[in-house]
Amino acid sequence: MALELNPNAILGFSMETLMKSPEPQIAEIVILQNLNIAPYDIQIQALELIRSRRLYTHTAVVMAPKDFCMVFIQPNDSPRLNLHLNGHIFISHHHDPADGFPNIEAASSWIQEDGYDTSSSSSVVRRSVVPTDSKGSNDHNIISEEEIRTLARLTTTVTVTAEIKSYLQNIITFLRQHRAVDGGITARATKYFDTMIKCLAPLHGLDYVTPSLVAIAARKVYPHRIIVTVPERDRSLQYGSDLAAVSAVLAGVTPESIIEDVLEEVDTPL
Protein backbone atom coordinates (compact mmCIF):
# COMPACT_ATOMS: atom_id res chain seq x y z
CA MET A 1 0.00 0.00 0.00
CA ALA A 2 1.44 3.36 -0.99
CA LEU A 3 1.85 5.84 1.83
CA GLU A 4 0.90 9.42 0.99
CA LEU A 5 1.84 12.24 3.34
CA ASN A 6 1.05 15.92 3.18
CA PRO A 7 4.29 17.85 2.56
CA ASN A 8 2.92 20.75 4.63
CA ALA A 9 2.60 18.46 7.63
CA ILE A 10 6.16 17.23 7.17
CA LEU A 11 7.66 20.68 6.74
CA GLY A 12 5.66 22.01 9.68
CA PHE A 13 4.19 24.95 7.81
CA SER A 14 1.98 25.65 4.83
CA MET A 15 3.67 26.82 1.65
CA GLU A 16 0.71 29.12 1.07
CA THR A 17 1.17 30.69 4.49
CA LEU A 18 4.91 30.98 3.93
CA MET A 19 4.54 32.78 0.59
CA LYS A 20 1.88 35.20 1.90
CA SER A 21 4.23 36.58 4.55
CA PRO A 22 5.88 39.93 3.72
CA GLU A 23 9.36 38.42 3.66
CA PRO A 24 9.22 34.63 3.36
CA GLN A 25 11.90 33.04 5.50
CA ILE A 26 12.77 29.77 7.16
CA ALA A 27 13.34 29.43 10.90
CA GLU A 28 16.90 29.03 12.17
CA ILE A 29 16.00 25.61 13.60
CA VAL A 30 13.69 23.24 11.73
CA ILE A 31 12.50 20.06 13.49
CA LEU A 32 11.22 17.29 11.22
CA GLN A 33 9.50 14.25 12.72
CA ASN A 34 9.16 10.94 10.86
CA LEU A 35 10.61 12.36 7.65
CA ASN A 36 12.01 8.88 7.01
CA ILE A 37 8.53 7.65 5.98
CA ALA A 38 7.91 10.63 3.72
CA PRO A 39 8.00 10.25 -0.08
CA TYR A 40 11.40 10.30 -1.75
CA ASP A 41 10.81 13.74 -3.30
CA ILE A 42 10.15 15.33 0.09
CA GLN A 43 13.36 13.87 1.52
CA ILE A 44 15.30 15.19 -1.46
CA GLN A 45 13.85 18.66 -0.79
CA ALA A 46 15.19 18.45 2.75
CA LEU A 47 18.58 17.40 1.37
CA GLU A 48 18.59 20.33 -1.04
CA LEU A 49 17.73 22.67 1.82
CA ILE A 50 20.74 21.38 3.78
CA ARG A 51 23.13 21.58 0.82
CA SER A 52 22.12 24.88 -0.76
CA ARG A 53 20.20 26.65 2.07
CA ARG A 54 17.37 27.18 -0.44
CA LEU A 55 13.79 25.90 -0.59
CA TYR A 56 12.31 25.99 -4.06
CA THR A 57 8.57 26.54 -4.54
CA HIS A 58 6.48 27.00 -7.68
CA THR A 59 6.68 30.78 -7.43
CA ALA A 60 9.82 31.67 -5.47
CA VAL A 61 13.03 30.59 -3.79
CA VAL A 62 13.08 30.87 0.00
CA MET A 63 16.50 31.29 1.61
CA ALA A 64 17.50 29.70 4.89
CA PRO A 65 19.34 31.87 7.44
CA LYS A 66 23.13 31.79 7.69
CA ASP A 67 23.00 29.91 11.00
CA PHE A 68 20.68 27.04 10.16
CA CYS A 69 20.04 23.69 11.82
CA MET A 70 17.76 20.79 10.94
CA VAL A 71 16.78 18.22 13.57
CA PHE A 72 15.29 14.88 12.55
CA ILE A 73 13.23 12.87 15.05
CA GLN A 74 12.26 9.27 14.38
CA PRO A 75 11.83 5.97 16.25
CA ASN A 76 14.97 3.89 16.59
CA ASP A 77 13.49 0.87 14.79
CA SER A 78 11.95 2.80 11.90
CA PRO A 79 13.20 2.86 8.27
CA ARG A 80 16.28 4.91 7.51
CA LEU A 81 16.26 8.24 5.78
CA ASN A 82 17.30 8.47 2.16
CA LEU A 83 20.94 7.35 1.91
CA HIS A 84 22.24 10.72 0.69
CA LEU A 85 20.20 12.71 3.22
CA ASN A 86 21.31 10.40 6.01
CA GLY A 87 24.93 10.99 5.06
CA HIS A 88 24.54 14.76 5.53
CA ILE A 89 23.35 14.46 9.14
CA PHE A 90 26.17 15.57 11.41
CA ILE A 91 25.49 13.54 14.55
CA SER A 92 22.78 11.36 16.06
CA HIS A 93 21.55 10.72 19.59
CA HIS A 94 19.38 7.91 20.93
CA HIS A 95 17.19 8.69 23.92
CA ASP A 96 16.08 5.68 25.92
CA PRO A 97 12.52 6.12 27.29
CA ALA A 98 13.75 4.50 30.49
CA ASP A 99 15.76 7.68 31.12
CA GLY A 100 12.53 9.69 31.34
CA PHE A 101 11.64 13.03 29.76
CA PRO A 102 12.58 15.64 32.40
CA ASN A 103 12.31 18.53 29.94
CA ILE A 104 8.61 18.00 29.29
CA GLU A 105 7.21 16.19 32.31
CA ALA A 106 7.54 18.68 35.15
CA ALA A 107 6.59 22.39 35.05
CA SER A 108 3.46 21.27 33.19
CA SER A 109 0.29 19.89 34.72
CA TRP A 110 -0.03 16.81 32.50
CA ILE A 111 0.05 14.47 35.49
CA GLN A 112 -3.02 16.15 36.91
CA GLU A 113 -4.96 16.10 33.65
CA ASP A 114 -8.44 14.60 33.74
CA GLY A 115 -8.46 10.89 33.23
CA TYR A 116 -4.77 10.40 33.97
CA ASP A 117 -3.89 7.73 36.50
CA THR A 118 -1.90 9.48 39.22
CA SER A 119 -1.37 6.38 41.33
CA SER A 120 2.21 6.02 40.10
CA SER A 121 3.02 9.71 39.75
CA SER A 122 5.51 9.51 42.60
CA SER A 123 7.82 7.46 40.37
CA VAL A 124 7.69 9.90 37.48
CA VAL A 125 10.87 11.81 36.69
CA ARG A 126 10.32 15.53 37.22
CA ARG A 127 12.55 18.45 36.48
CA SER A 128 13.14 21.27 38.88
CA VAL A 129 11.39 24.56 38.29
CA VAL A 130 13.38 26.73 35.91
CA PRO A 131 14.72 29.72 37.84
CA THR A 132 13.72 33.13 36.60
CA ASP A 133 14.73 36.68 37.38
CA SER A 134 12.55 39.37 38.94
CA LYS A 135 10.92 40.01 35.56
CA GLY A 136 10.01 36.35 35.11
CA SER A 137 12.61 35.82 32.41
CA ASN A 138 14.85 32.78 32.12
CA ASP A 139 17.15 34.23 29.46
CA HIS A 140 20.21 33.22 31.49
CA ASN A 141 19.45 29.60 30.51
CA ILE A 142 19.67 30.40 26.82
CA ILE A 143 22.95 30.21 24.93
CA SER A 144 23.50 33.57 23.32
CA GLU A 145 24.61 34.12 19.74
CA GLU A 146 27.89 35.55 21.02
CA GLU A 147 28.58 32.37 23.02
CA ILE A 148 27.95 30.27 19.93
CA ARG A 149 30.36 32.46 17.95
CA THR A 150 32.96 32.09 20.68
CA LEU A 151 32.65 28.30 20.73
CA ALA A 152 32.92 28.20 16.94
CA ARG A 153 36.07 30.35 17.07
CA LEU A 154 37.62 28.13 19.76
CA THR A 155 37.21 25.04 17.58
CA THR A 156 39.68 26.55 15.11
CA THR A 157 42.38 26.76 17.79
CA VAL A 158 42.08 23.19 19.09
CA THR A 159 45.29 21.16 18.98
CA VAL A 160 45.16 17.65 17.53
CA THR A 161 48.41 15.75 18.05
CA ALA A 162 49.82 13.18 15.65
CA GLU A 163 48.96 10.41 18.11
CA ILE A 164 45.32 11.50 18.28
CA LYS A 165 45.16 11.84 14.50
CA SER A 166 46.52 8.31 14.14
CA TYR A 167 43.98 7.06 16.71
CA LEU A 168 41.15 8.65 14.73
CA GLN A 169 42.35 7.12 11.46
CA ASN A 170 42.73 3.68 13.07
CA ILE A 171 39.13 3.81 14.28
CA ILE A 172 37.96 4.64 10.75
CA THR A 173 40.04 1.81 9.27
CA PHE A 174 38.79 -0.75 11.80
CA LEU A 175 35.20 0.33 11.18
CA ARG A 176 35.59 -0.15 7.43
CA GLN A 177 37.16 -3.59 7.89
CA HIS A 178 34.68 -4.84 10.50
CA ARG A 179 32.96 -7.95 9.17
CA ALA A 180 29.51 -6.68 10.14
CA VAL A 181 29.84 -3.35 8.30
CA ASP A 182 28.36 -3.21 4.81
CA GLY A 183 28.76 0.54 4.29
CA GLY A 184 28.36 4.00 5.75
CA ILE A 185 32.00 4.80 6.58
CA THR A 186 32.21 7.51 3.95
CA ALA A 187 34.60 10.40 3.30
CA ARG A 188 31.94 12.82 4.54
CA ALA A 189 31.63 10.82 7.75
CA THR A 190 35.41 11.11 8.22
CA LYS A 191 35.18 14.88 7.74
CA TYR A 192 32.40 15.14 10.31
CA PHE A 193 34.34 12.88 12.70
CA ASP A 194 37.33 15.21 12.53
CA THR A 195 35.09 18.26 13.01
CA MET A 196 33.27 16.70 15.96
CA ILE A 197 36.40 16.07 18.02
CA LYS A 198 37.35 19.73 17.62
CA CYS A 199 33.85 20.83 18.66
CA LEU A 200 33.88 18.70 21.80
CA ALA A 201 37.13 20.12 23.18
CA PRO A 202 35.87 23.69 23.92
CA LEU A 203 32.65 22.25 25.38
CA HIS A 204 34.84 20.39 27.89
CA GLY A 205 37.00 23.44 28.60
CA LEU A 206 39.99 22.10 26.68
CA ASP A 207 42.12 23.45 23.84
CA TYR A 208 43.34 19.99 22.84
CA VAL A 209 41.72 16.66 21.94
CA THR A 210 41.92 13.64 24.24
CA PRO A 211 41.28 9.98 23.34
CA SER A 212 38.05 10.02 25.36
CA LEU A 213 36.72 12.87 23.20
CA VAL A 214 37.50 10.85 20.08
CA ALA A 215 35.49 7.93 21.50
CA ILE A 216 32.54 10.24 22.27
CA ALA A 217 32.69 11.64 18.74
CA ALA A 218 32.68 8.14 17.22
CA ARG A 219 29.58 7.25 19.21
CA LYS A 220 27.80 10.34 17.86
CA VAL A 221 28.95 10.46 14.23
CA TYR A 222 28.64 6.82 13.12
CA PRO A 223 25.58 5.06 14.66
CA HIS A 224 23.09 6.39 12.08
CA ARG A 225 25.53 5.86 9.22
CA ILE A 226 26.72 2.28 9.70
CA ILE A 227 24.90 -0.24 7.52
CA VAL A 228 24.95 -3.65 9.18
CA THR A 229 25.57 -6.42 6.66
CA VAL A 230 23.15 -9.27 6.14
CA PRO A 231 24.56 -12.83 6.55
CA GLU A 232 24.29 -13.48 2.80
CA ARG A 233 26.80 -10.67 2.14
CA ASP A 234 29.36 -11.68 4.74
CA ARG A 235 32.83 -11.83 3.21
CA SER A 236 33.71 -15.15 4.85
CA LEU A 237 31.13 -16.96 2.69
CA GLN A 238 33.57 -16.59 -0.20
CA TYR A 239 35.97 -18.86 1.68
CA GLY A 240 33.52 -21.61 2.58
CA SER A 241 31.87 -20.38 5.78
CA ASP A 242 28.51 -21.88 6.64
CA LEU A 243 25.58 -19.46 6.23
CA ALA A 244 23.89 -20.68 9.40
CA ALA A 245 27.07 -20.13 11.42
CA VAL A 246 27.50 -16.65 9.96
CA SER A 247 23.89 -15.84 10.79
CA ALA A 248 24.47 -16.86 14.39
CA VAL A 249 27.59 -14.67 14.61
CA LEU A 250 25.82 -11.61 13.19
CA ALA A 251 22.63 -12.07 15.22
CA GLY A 252 21.97 -9.07 17.42
CA VAL A 253 24.77 -6.96 15.96
CA THR A 254 23.94 -3.24 15.95
CA PRO A 255 25.85 -0.12 14.84
CA GLU A 256 26.40 0.72 18.50
CA SER A 257 27.90 -2.70 19.27
CA ILE A 258 30.16 -2.42 16.22
CA ILE A 259 31.50 0.93 17.43
CA GLU A 260 32.14 -0.47 20.92
CA ASP A 261 33.98 -3.47 19.41
CA VAL A 262 36.23 -1.17 17.42
CA LEU A 263 36.94 1.13 20.37
CA GLU A 264 38.00 -1.92 22.38
CA GLU A 265 40.23 -3.24 19.59
CA VAL A 266 42.05 -0.02 18.70
CA ASP A 267 44.97 0.86 20.97
CA THR A 268 44.34 4.07 22.87
CA PRO A 269 47.24 6.54 22.88
CA LEU A 270 48.62 7.59 26.26
Side-chain angles (χ1 to χ4, degrees), residues 19-83:
M19 299 314 300
K20 284 182 179 179
S21 60
E23 294 183 3
Q25 55 183 283
I26 299 174
E28 293 181 342
I29 299 178
V30 176
I31 301 176
L32 302 175
Q33 185 173 3
N34 295 329
L35 185 67
N36 57 312
I37 60 175
Y40 176 83
D41 292 344
I42 299 297
Q43 296 192 37
I44 291 301
Q45 264 198 316
L47 174 60
E48 185 64 26
L49 183 57
I50 293 175
R51 287 176 55 86
S52 66
R53 305 295 178 90
R54 295 179 176 89
L55 183 63
Y56 295 92
T57 70
H58 292 295
T59 58
V61 177
V62 185
M63 299 294 297
K66 180 180 179 181
D67 296 321
F68 179 62
C69 176
M70 294 185 72
V71 180
F72 301 89
I73 302 176
Q74 62 188 59
N76 195 44
D77 56 352
S78 61
R80 285 175 175 252
L81 288 163
N82 170 275
L83 180 63

Side-chain angles (χ1 to χ4, degrees), residues 82-225:
N82 170 275
L83 180 63
H84 301 290
L85 175 58
N86 190 74
H88 278 76
I89 298 176
F90 184 36
I91 60 173
S92 60
H93 172 73
H94 170 70
H95 181 80
D96 192 331
D99 295 332
F101 301 92
N103 292 322
I104 63 174
E105 289 176 351
S108 63
S109 57
W110 66 276
I111 291 182
Q112 286 77 28
E113 290 179 355
D114 293 339
Y116 185 81
D117 182 9
T118 59
S119 59
S120 60
S121 60
S122 60
S123 63
V124 176
V125 177
R126 293 184 174 86
R127 66 174 179 178
S128 57
V129 177
V130 178
T132 59
D133 55 25
S134 58
K135 298 181 180 179
S137 172
N138 61 351
D139 289 345
H140 59 282
N141 292 315
I142 300 176
I143 299 178
S144 67
E145 182 177 353
E146 181 59 31
E147 290 172 322
I148 294 176
R149 301 289 184 200
T150 300
L151 288 172
R153 177 177 53 80
L154 290 175
T155 61
T156 63
T157 63
V158 172
T159 300
V160 182
T161 64
E163 291 79 9
I164 292 296
K165 199 69 174 180
S166 176
Y167 180 49
L168 182 145
Q169 294 297 332
N170 286 340
I171 291 175
I172 296 170
T173 301
F174 274 63
L175 283 172
R176 285 180 175 156
Q177 295 180 346
H178 196 284
R179 70 177 300 171
V181 174
D182 195 29
I185 317 301
T186 62
R188 183 176 295 278
T190 299
K191 177 182 177 181
Y192 287 166
F193 191 14
D194 184 71
T195 301
M196 185 62 180
I197 63 173
K198 296 175 182 177
C199 291
L200 287 172
L203 292 174
H204 288 78
L206 302 173
D207 60 357
Y208 58 91
V209 177
T210 65
S212 60
L213 294 184
V214 176
I216 293 174
R219 295 185 179 105
K220 293 299 181 183
V221 172
Y222 286 107
H224 67 285
R225 288 183 165 86

Side-chain angles (χ1 to χ4, degrees), residues 175 177-182 229 234-236 241 246 249-250:
L175 283 172
Q177 295 180 346
H178 196 284
R179 70 177 300 171
V181 174
D182 195 29
T229 189
D234 185 78
R235 292 186 291 268
S236 67
S241 294
V246 171
V249 170
L250 295 178

